[in-house]
């Protein structure tokens, strides 16, 4: 049989998809029971994938079988409820199901004419996000791979606008000889923001750093004198403590000076979409651009990031760099590529739409507040067991200091990870090694938290008994 015929047969019989479905269900049914991090055997078995590029075509059934046999066990059990590493999200069932369906569509969302449905869902999500976050009416959204990309877009729009204000067209005239822009950022800004500063050519040495308080929040009185050349980088959700910068005061000052404010809220911006945690983001609507992930707190599948910007012209101009967009930009139908650096993209708005339609505003509150409650529970139970909690648990992040020395902290963390009971990562907080817990999945239950706390206690016993 020719290769082409095989593919036709695979497509028509659907046996391959049934096989995948069977494996997927098997995975889903076992993920909560198994070790959160792959076993040593599972990691060693990854050598099964190391081979020379095949010279001839293979067997689809066998390929899928190999992936499940050796791939599935070497995943981290992120959907199981006891993964608290970095700031990674879970996945809402409705988003997984809608993604599955849209995978069959295989749409390219660059232009309306490539996918009317993707264009419509982007438009709907843009409006819903504006409403949920209480952002200005003229706010537009770009659907990108993650917050890292979204920050890049926000800063590019800021650069375009601030230089345009000074009569300089950045797209045409570029960096050489351009009026200097100033980058002002809090000490605790995320590495993705620093990366965007570097990628866009501002130079990290030129950042004017602003000190923070004991929770990592910018101290507004430490801000330098602002003017119309300033881009101020704030954050909603410190990646360690979960704290929020004081937006209102800083945005008001920036507005008076003609400066641009970008808020990086990869996971924390969602607090601004809730009823019970909205107070954390007071004044955020006064910024100019915002970056946020769908794949973290909102629990949509990877990958999904959103850039929100209330200066459509600056954003579209910065990302398109040619005048041809103008006809379509203000046309009847939305062309998604105008708001993103990429042209071809997958239809991320499908899962965002599904998540927001499923949850509704009240469900977003329950989802996000639930993560906050689990984080509070972690803090309380760990404290009761004698662990030091170094942050105010205002959101979903908990910083734990399990020991007096960095060496012992490392050993306790390794023992927790080895237990397979839960997975937590390390960080540095105020010069000290710490364990960082991020509650980011809807699946995590109070039982999961208590069980994980037991793993902390046992790990400390093992290490101190040695
Ligand atoms: C995760 C994170 C980022 C980077 O987001 P990606 O979606 O991984 O690109 C940026 N800022 C903060 C605060 C984050 O937590």
């Amino acid at each position: 049989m020719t290769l082409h015929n095989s593919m036709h047969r695979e497509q028509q019989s659907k046996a391959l998809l049934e096989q995948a479905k069977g494996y997927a269900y098997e995975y889903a049914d076992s993920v909560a029971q198994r070790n959160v991090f792959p076993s040593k055997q599972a990691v060693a078995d990854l050598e099964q994938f190391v081979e020379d590029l095949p010279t001839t075509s293979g067997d689809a059934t066998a390929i899928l079988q190999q992936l499940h046999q050796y791939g599935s066990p070497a995943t981290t059990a992120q959907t199981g409820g006891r993964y608290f590493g970095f700031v990674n999200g879970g996945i809402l069932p409705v988003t997984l199901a809608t993604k599955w369906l849209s995978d069959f569509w295989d749409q390219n969302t660059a232009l309306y004419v490539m996918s009317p449905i993707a264009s419509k869902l982007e438009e709907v999500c843009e409006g819903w996000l504006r409403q949920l976050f209480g952002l200005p009416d003229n706010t537009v959204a770009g659907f990108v791979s993650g917050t890292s990309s979204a920050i890049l877009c926000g800063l590019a729009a800021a650069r375009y606008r601030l230089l345009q204000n000074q009569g300089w067209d950045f797209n045409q005239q570029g960096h050489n000889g351009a009026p200097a822009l100033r980058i002002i950022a809090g000490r605790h800004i995320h590495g993705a923001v620093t990366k965007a500063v570097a990628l866009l050519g501002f130079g990290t040495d030129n950042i004017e750093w602003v000190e923070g308080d004991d929770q990592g929040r910018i101290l507004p009185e430490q801000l330098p004198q602002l003017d119309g050349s300033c881009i101020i980088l704030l954050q909603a959700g410190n990646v360690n403590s979960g704290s929020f910068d004081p937006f209102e005061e800083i945005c008001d000052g920036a507005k008076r000076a003609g400066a641009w404010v970008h808020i990086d809220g990869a996971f924390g911006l969602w607090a601004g979409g809730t009823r019970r945690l909205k107070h954390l983001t007071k004044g955020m609507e006064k910024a100019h651009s915002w970056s946020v992930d769908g794949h973290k707190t909102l629990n949509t599948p990877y990958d999904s990031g959103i850039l929100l910007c209330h200066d459509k012209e600056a954003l579209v101009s910065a990302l398109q760099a040619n005048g041809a967009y103008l006809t379509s930009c203000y046309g009847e139908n939305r062309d998604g590529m105008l708001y993103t650096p990429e042209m071809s993209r997958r239809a991320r708005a499908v899962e965002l739409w599904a998540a927001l339609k499923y949850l509704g505003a009240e469900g977003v509150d329950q989802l996000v507040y639930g993560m906050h409650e689990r984080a509070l529970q972690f803090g309380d139970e760990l404290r009761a067991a004698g662990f030091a909690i170094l942050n105010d648990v205002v959101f979903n992040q908990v910083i734990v200091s399990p020991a007096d020395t960095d060496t012992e902290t490392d050993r306790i963390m390794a023992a927790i990870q080895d237990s397979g009971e839960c997975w937590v990562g390390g960080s540095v907080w105020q010069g000290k090694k710490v364990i960082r817990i991020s509650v980011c999945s809807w699946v995590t239950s109070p039982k999961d938290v208590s069980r994980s706390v037991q793993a902390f206690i046992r790990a400390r016993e093992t290490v101190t008994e040695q």
Side-chain angles (χ1 to χ4, degrees):
M1 198 183 306
T2 66
L3 181 58
H4 190 255
N5 284 345
S6 305
M7 289 192 285
H8 265 300
R9 201 195 47 190
E10 283 151 10
Q11 189 185 32
Q12 275 160 18
S13 81
K14 302 199 177 63
L16 205 53
L17 295 162
E18 290 300 331
Q19 188 191 343
K21 196 166 92 175
Y23 292 155
Y25 290 175
E26 204 178 284
Y27 184 83
D29 289 342
S30 60
V31 73
Q33 278 81 49
R34 48 159 280 212
N35 274 11
V36 176
F37 197 81
S39 67
K40 290 195 168 63
Q41 184 62 50
V43 173
D45 283 348
L46 288 174
E47 288 307 309
Q48 293 286 340
F49 292 99
V50 182
E51 58 178 326
D52 288 338
L53 173 71
T55 45
T56 55
S57 59
D59 173 58
T61 306
I63 289 169
L64 196 56
Q65 201 269 336
Q66 182 190 3
L67 184 65
H68 182 53
Q69 183 176 352
Y70 299 109
S72 295
T75 57
T76 51
Q78 191 158 286
T79 52
R82 278 174 284 108
Y83 185 89
F84 307 107
F86 306 94
V87 187
N88 288 357
I91 186 166
L92 301 173
V94 71
T95 64
L96 179 56
T98 47
K99 180 168 186 294
W100 242 6
L101 174 59
S102 69
D103 278 345
F104 281 75
W105 300 348
D106 194 28
Q107 298 288 280
N108 184 342
T109 66
L111 299 169
Y112 171 81
V113 291
M114 290 179 178
S115 179
I117 174 63
S119 165
K120 183 55 77 184
L121 292 182
E122 286 196 353
E123 190 184 312
V124 170
C125 286
E126 182 182 80
W128 284 357
L129 291 169
R130 206 158 45 210
Q131 191 185 340
L132 188 72
F133 292 133
L135 302 180
D137 286 346
N138 53 357
T139 303
V140 292
F143 300 94
V144 292
S145 60
T147 290
S148 300
S149 281
I151 297 166
L152 209 56
C153 300
L155 293 200
R159 175 173 65 183
Y160 182 88
R161 174 55 67 215
L162 295 185
L163 289 178
Q164 199 73 25
N165 288 347
Q166 298 192 49
W168 189 270
D169 185 315
F170 183 79
N171 289 342
Q172 291 174 5
Q173 298 172 273
H175 272 300
N176 293 350
L181 295 181
R182 296 166 57 201
I183 305 288
I184 296 165
R187 249 324 147 199
H188 291 261
I189 210 78
H190 193 273
V193 183
T194 325
K195 177 160 69 176
V197 168
L199 272 171
L200 289 174
F202 292 114
T204 51
D205 279 356
N206 298 319
I207 297 176
E208 299 176 38
W209 296 106
V210 187
E211 297 307 321
D213 65 11
D214 64 340
Q215 300 298 313
R217 289 175 294 236
I218 273 194
L219 292 162
E221 65 273 17
Q222 302 264 326
L223 278 176
Q225 189 73 35
L226 301 178
D227 57 46
S229 71
C230 294
I231 301 174
I232 306 165
L233 304 170
L234 303 181
Q235 71 183 349
N238 177 295
V239 80
N240 289 311
S241 72
S243 71
F244 293 68
D245 284 333
F247 304 128
E248 185 131 61
E249 186 177 345
I250 298 174
C251 289
D252 286 344
K255 189 171 182 169
R256 284 192 295 274
W260 182 291
V261 177
H262 177 87
I263 298 179
D264 173 27
F267 62 99
L269 207 74
W270 294 104
T274 68
R275 192 163 40 76
R276 286 173 284 180
L277 292 171
K278 202 175 179 57
H279 57 93
L280 294 169
T281 61
K282 191 159 183 286
M284 81 168 203
E285 68 284 355
K286 296 180 180 182
H288 300 76
S289 53
W290 306 261
S291 43
V292 60
D293 275 324
H295 56 226
K296 289 181 179 172
T297 315
L298 191 66
N299 283 203
T300 66
Y302 283 96
D303 51 16
S304 174
I306 309 146
L307 181 273
L308 295 151
C309 180
H310 88 173
D311 187 337
K312 174 175 175 175
E313 191 187 282
L315 181 70
V316 174
S317 303
L319 297 180
Q320 297 315 312
N322 87 50
Y325 70 82
L326 277 170
T327 45
S328 44
C329 181
Y330 297 94
E332 223 171 291
N333 298 308
R334 179 190 160 96
D335 288 332
M337 67 168 275
L338 296 176
Y339 310 91
T340 60
E342 309 95 331
M343 189 167 192
S344 303
R345 281 173 307 128
R346 69 178 197 89
R348 300 187 176 97
V350 168
E351 306 106 55
L352 259 181
W353 164 80
L356 293 171
K357 183 166 168 73
Y358 177 77
L359 296 168
E362 184 51 37
V364 171
D365 181 79
Q366 281 180 36
L367 174 74
V368 180
Y369 199 80
M371 293 171 188
H372 174 53
E373 286 179 317
R374 300 290 86 77
L376 287 173
Q377 183 193 344
F378 251 123
D380 291 345
E381 292 186 10
L382 284 169
R383 229 181 267 111
F387 288 90
I389 305 299
L390 302 189
N391 66 319
D392 297 340
V393 182
V394 295
F395 197 48
N396 67 328
Q397 305 287 110
V398 187
I399 306 176
V400 190
S401 175
D404 292 335
T405 66
D406 284 357
T407 325
E408 237 183 319
T409 295
D410 278 345
R411 285 167 62 203
I412 293 173
M413 186 170 73
I416 296 169
Q417 291 171 348
D418 285 347
S419 77
E421 282 289 288
C422 67
W423 203 90
V424 287
S427 189
V428 174
W429 187 248
Q430 286 155 1
K432 205 175 145 129
K433 282 200 176 175
V434 292
I435 294 176
R436 177 178 61 175
I437 297 169
S438 179
V439 183
C440 247
S441 170
W442 69 273
V443 177
T444 300
S445 67
K447 268 199 187 126
D448 285 321
V449 173
S450 299
R451 182 169 160 185
S452 302
V453 168
Q454 289 308 312
F456 271 71
I457 295 170
R458 275 196 302 276
R460 185 180 52 188
E461 281 166 8
T462 334
V463 168
T464 48
E465 275 164 14
Q466 275 167 9

